[in-house]
């Protein structure tokens, strides 16, 4: 932290306009500054040459552009990259870039740790410290975009963002909505709504609110076709059981053209991967425009699960396909640097608050 300076990274167009209005400046200053920050990668206010010298001086005294620090940059054999991003008080989160044919997806964190306590996820073992603010969320995209070269010659590498890193994005509702809107703003990264995906374990009231304020694509961590099993894997299900969650998801896409829900389903050997589970899944999702993403379980230290065999995953997928469901098996990427789904750990200090009670208290603060 540098004194009490306002961090202009993370203010959206309206907030920046209000900021300049409060200085007696024209609103278009917001546009100029956003272009410097997001299109030119400039963090030095003095380099913003289309602002008058006196305005630059005034800004320097009260504002700054402060992205979070990247403290470790690891490359995987498969071309994925993982960055460790340092926040305050020794806390760190991880951000992962996954290049694939014709696109590059950035997996962004929304919380330091996670309070949800899913039994098969490494982040859960870390406990929870706090929500990320807007600058820390958009700052991950900013850092990755510029570390990847910024795409100056039209060869932009970063084309998609998924909120699938550490944390439950819908428990950090306001900051996540503001950050995703900023990702979609032409004055920032201009990503289309199809290219920004929020993944949630299913915080039902927040799903209803999300529809009102955002147009991101939705992925939901389902992982089980019945409440009994899902209660065990995703404890949040005890608070918001499957039927309620599905209803909220139907509502989210209702009336939107060509939108479907992506269901994430981690393949755990002998736990949720039988033909009976697959048949139950087909029945459960009948009538909801859906894509199913099967995720082979990624191991981490002290994990009590094993990955389903390739043959079991294929058998499961074939049942879904035969049931008319679009299904893909997610490729495991970046596992040599612990960057695959569910392997992100970061550094979480003062671990506290986990489980359904933590969720309740977080919902109350919102
Ligand atoms: N909290 C949000 C965002 C996390 S996204 C959510 O639950 O959706 C990360 C995805 O990877 C989720 O679908 C999560 O359930 C899944 N995942 C977690 N641990 C995993 C593991 N060890 N192997 C494979 N997938 C895992």
């Amino acid at each position: 932290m540098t004194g009490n300076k306002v961090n202009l990274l993370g203010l959206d167009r309206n907030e920046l306009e209000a900021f300049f209005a409060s200085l007696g400046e024209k609103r278009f200053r917001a546009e100029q500054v956003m272009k410097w920050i997001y299109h030119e990668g400039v963090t030095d206010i003095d380099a913003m040459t289309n602002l008058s010298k006196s305005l630059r001086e005034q800004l320097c005294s009260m504002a700054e552009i402060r992205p979070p620090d990247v403290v470790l940059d690891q490359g995987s054999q498969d071309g994925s990259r993982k960055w460790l991003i340092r926040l305050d008080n020794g806390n760190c989160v991880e951000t992962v870039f996954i290049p694939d044919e014709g696109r590059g997806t950035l997996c962004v964190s929304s919380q330091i740790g996670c309070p949800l306590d899913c039994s098969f996820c490494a982040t859960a073992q870390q406990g929870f410290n706090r929500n990320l603010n807007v600058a820390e969320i958009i700052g991950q995209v900013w850092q990755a975009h510029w570390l990847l070269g910024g795409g100056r010659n039209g060869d932009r590498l970063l084309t998609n963002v998924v909120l699938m890193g550490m944390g439950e994005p819908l428990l950090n509702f306001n900051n996540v909505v503001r950050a995703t809107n900023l990702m979609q703003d032409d004055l920032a990264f201009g990503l289309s709504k199809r290219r920004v995906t929020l993944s949630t374990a299913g915080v039902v009231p927040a799903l209803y609110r999300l529809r009102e304020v955002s147009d991101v694509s939705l992925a939901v961590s389902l992982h089980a076709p019945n409440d009994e099993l899902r209660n065990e894997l995703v404890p949040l299900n005890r608070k918001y059981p499957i039927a309620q969650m599905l209803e909220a998801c139907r509502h989210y896409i209702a009336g939107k053209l060509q939108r479907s829900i992506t269901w994430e389903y981690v393949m755990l050997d002998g736990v949720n991967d039988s033909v009976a589970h697959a048949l139950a899944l087909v029945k459960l999702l009948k009538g909801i425009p859906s894509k199913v993403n099967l995720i082979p379980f990624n191991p981490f230290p002290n994990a009590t699960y094993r990955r389903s065999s390739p043959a079991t995953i294929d058998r499961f997928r074939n049942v879904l396909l035969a049931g008319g469901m679009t299904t893909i098996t997610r490729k495991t990427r970046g596992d040599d640097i612990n960057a695959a789904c569910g392997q992100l750990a970061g550094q979480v200090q003062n671990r506290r608050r986990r489980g359904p009670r933590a969720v309740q208290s977080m919902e109350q603060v919102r």
Side-chain angles (χ1 to χ4, degrees):
M1 287 280 245
T2 337
N4 293 324
K5 289 187 177 178
V6 184
N7 191 359
L8 301 184
L9 180 80
L11 296 191
D12 64 23
R13 199 188 284 229
N14 290 338
E15 289 165 329
L16 262 186
E17 284 179 355
F19 171 78
F20 280 109
S22 76
L23 301 181
E25 286 288 333
K26 291 278 193 313
R27 289 180 175 273
F28 72 84
R29 297 287 178 213
E31 185 167 328
Q32 291 177 315
V33 167
M34 284 181 78
K35 284 183 175 166
W36 282 115
I37 298 176
Y38 300 103
H39 297 179
E40 303 296 330
V42 166
T43 53
D44 176 5
I45 289 170
D46 255 335
M48 301 183 174
T49 46
N50 56 1
L51 309 181
S52 70
K53 193 149 194 312
S54 63
L55 175 57
R56 277 185 268 158
E57 273 168 16
Q58 188 185 10
L59 281 180
C60 283
S61 70
M62 61 188 302
E64 62 187 343
I65 293 123
R66 184 167 31 90
D69 288 334
V70 171
V71 289
L72 200 66
D73 180 343
Q74 284 174 284
S76 158
Q77 284 176 354
D78 68 17
S80 307
R81 264 170 92 173
K82 181 170 88 167
W83 294 287
L84 187 68
I85 307 240
R86 183 164 54 209
L87 309 168
D88 55 5
N89 304 325
N91 284 304
C92 291
V93 293
E94 292 179 325
T95 307
V96 179
F97 178 68
I98 308 141
D100 207 353
E101 290 140 24
R103 68 172 174 199
T105 302
L106 190 73
C107 182
V108 166
S109 293
S110 58
Q111 298 185 309
I112 302 175
C114 184
L116 290 188
D117 215 11
C118 297
S119 59
F120 51 87
C121 180
T123 306
Q125 294 196 337
Q126 294 291 89
F128 171 73
N129 181 281
R130 68 166 172 83
N131 283 332
L132 298 191
N133 61 36
V134 182
E136 291 166 336
I137 300 171
I138 198 77
Q140 295 170 63
V141 184
W142 189 93
Q143 283 287 17
H145 178 68
W146 292 104
L147 285 167
L148 292 166
R152 283 190 185 276
N153 311 316
D155 52 353
R156 181 161 154 172
L157 296 177
L158 196 168
T159 60
N160 294 53
V161 172
V162 292
L163 279 134
M164 293 187 187
M166 297 168 66
E168 167 49 51
L170 289 186
L171 289 178
N172 185 8
F173 190 88
N174 291 336
N175 293 339
V176 162
V177 166
R178 282 161 61 204
T180 51
N181 286 343
L182 203 43
M183 290 170 205
Q184 296 173 335
D185 190 327
D186 285 338
L187 289 178
F189 297 107
L191 298 172
S192 77
K193 56 192 176 190
R194 288 174 181 282
R195 292 179 178 272
V196 180
T197 301
L198 183 153
S199 176
T200 177
V203 185
V204 165
L207 278 169
Y208 284 102
R209 288 169 57 209
L210 187 65
R211 186 190 154 94
E212 310 303 318
V213 291
S214 176
D215 210 359
V216 290
S217 298
L218 196 61
V220 178
S221 295
L222 186 55
H223 305 318
N226 62 64
D227 282 324
E228 196 187 350
L229 183 55
R230 195 165 189 265
N231 283 345
E232 198 185 300
L233 301 176
V234 183
L236 182 69
N237 195 70
R238 297 177 204 153
K239 192 163 159 65
Y240 301 118
I242 292 177
Q244 279 182 31
M245 186 270 284
L246 291 186
E247 194 47 44
C249 291
R250 276 197 198 91
H251 179 79
Y252 186 78
I253 52 170
K256 298 189 183 180
L257 281 176
Q258 295 176 0
R259 294 296 283 277
S260 59
I261 306 276
T262 297
W263 305 100
E264 295 160 287
Y265 197 99
V266 63
M267 296 300 290
L268 304 169
D269 182 37
V271 175
N272 64 352
D273 61 353
S274 71
V275 168
H277 289 123
L279 289 168
L281 197 57
V282 172
K283 199 167 162 202
L284 184 71
L285 298 179
K286 211 173 178 63
I288 308 178
S290 296
K291 289 181 192 146
V292 179
N293 245 341
L294 302 179
I295 315 176
F297 171 69
N298 295 305
F300 52 89
N302 302 322
T304 53
Y305 298 99
R306 285 188 317 260
R307 180 182 292 180
S308 309
S309 71
T312 306
I313 298 177
D314 281 351
R315 184 181 64 178
F316 196 93
R317 199 191 61 203
N318 288 339
V319 175
L320 298 187
L321 290 173
M325 316 216 52
T326 306
T327 310
I328 61 154
T329 304
R330 197 179 279 177
K331 272 189 259 172
T332 300
R333 301 290 304 269
D335 54 344
D336 56 337
I337 54 167
N338 286 334
C341 299
Q343 291 185 322
L344 301 188
Q347 287 172 22
V348 182
Q349 307 297 332
N350 302 322
R351 301 163 185 200
R352 60 195 167 103
R353 298 198 294 182
R354 276 204 290 181
R357 277 177 67 193
V359 171
Q360 188 148 19
S361 69
M362 293 187 73
E363 287 184 305
Q364 280 161 0
V365 246
R366 273 214 324 263

